[in-house]
Amino acid sequence: MDRPEKCPTCGSEHFLFEKSHHHFLESGLDNVHLTNVEIGTCADCGEKVVSIPHPTELMRLIGESILLKPTSLNGAEIRFLRKNLHLKINEFAQLLGVDRVTVSRWENEHEKPSRAADRLVRLTYAVEAKIGEGIVEELRKNLRKEDIDSKVDFFVSLPLAS
């Protein structure tokens, strides 16, 4: 996102940026935090704008972080991976070889995916997103470890290299 010169709400030129922390709820996940991100604030109306350079790269990094997390995938993470592949729920279900209702139940946390389904989602994402060999190798190692069930937060430091 380009940095605005003026406030997008009131048009004021009293719009200043500073580097700060941003809880990136816009990702659809409640556990993604951006550090060192530029946040603009209007001195006149109080409007805040988060400047996110290289959003495609950011989403790729979040996807890779989800793949490599040591805990089971939750519904929001499965939804993030599916949406990051730009797939409709029925397309994703077809890739996985499951019913679309099953994916919906996972994403809405009405049903927890089995350990095998969790692995299938990760591996399918890795293939479809064309994840690099280094990440795939890390994923292979992680899949050989025992699952741990606890919450994991993701921190991404900006700016990203493109």
Side-chain angles (χ1 to χ4, degrees):
M1 173 179 180
D2 291 329
R3 288 176 45 168
E5 302 271 331
K6 296 180 181 181
C7 175
T9 301
C10 71
S12 169
E13 293 187 13
H14 301 120
F15 202 70
L16 301 173
F17 280 87
E18 65 182 10
K19 293 194 181 217
S20 187
H21 169 270
H22 176 64
H23 189 181
F24 190 44
L25 295 172
E26 299 87 350
S27 67
L29 301 165
D30 66 359
N31 56 346
V32 176
H33 304 268
L34 305 179
T35 58
N36 202 31
V37 66
E38 290 189 335
I39 300 177
T41 306
C42 179
D44 294 335
C45 74
E47 177 72 18
K48 290 189 184 259
V49 174
V50 179
S51 177
I52 300 178
H54 313 293
T56 303
E57 176 72 7
L58 174 60
M59 295 308 202
R60 184 187 64 75
L61 284 173
I62 294 169
E64 289 175 2
S65 296
I66 291 170
L67 284 186
L68 298 177
K69 77 177 209 136
T71 61
S72 300
L73 296 174
N74 65 38
E77 292 163 341
I78 293 170
R79 181 180 296 110
F80 177 91
L81 294 175
R82 174 180 62 80
K83 287 186 170 190
N84 204 31
L85 291 173
H86 308 288
L87 294 174
K88 295 182 187 321
I89 199 165
N90 58 326
E91 296 168 326
F92 193 56
Q94 186 177 21
L95 271 177
L96 297 173
V98 299
D99 192 87
R100 71 172 305 285
V101 174
T102 301
V103 176
S104 177
R105 286 182 184 140
W106 294 340
E107 289 185 0
N108 293 305
E109 300 198 353
H110 296 296
E111 186 179 305
K112 190 175 178 178
S114 67
R115 188 170 181 197
D118 180 291
R119 288 168 177 236
L120 180 60
V121 168
R122 291 176 200 245
L123 293 169
T124 299
Y125 180 84
V127 168
E128 292 296 313
K130 298 178 175 77
I131 298 298
E133 189 55 40
I135 298 296
V136 170
E137 189 53 40
E138 260 187 88
L139 177 59
R140 282 187 190 111
K141 288 177 190 171
N142 287 352
L143 292 178
R144 291 183 178 101
K145 296 177 185 172
E146 188 155 333
D147 279 348
I148 304 167
D149 269 331
S150 64
K151 186 172 172 166
V152 174
D153 285 338
F154 305 109
F155 292 86
V156 179
S157 184
L158 298 180
L160 300 171
S162 59

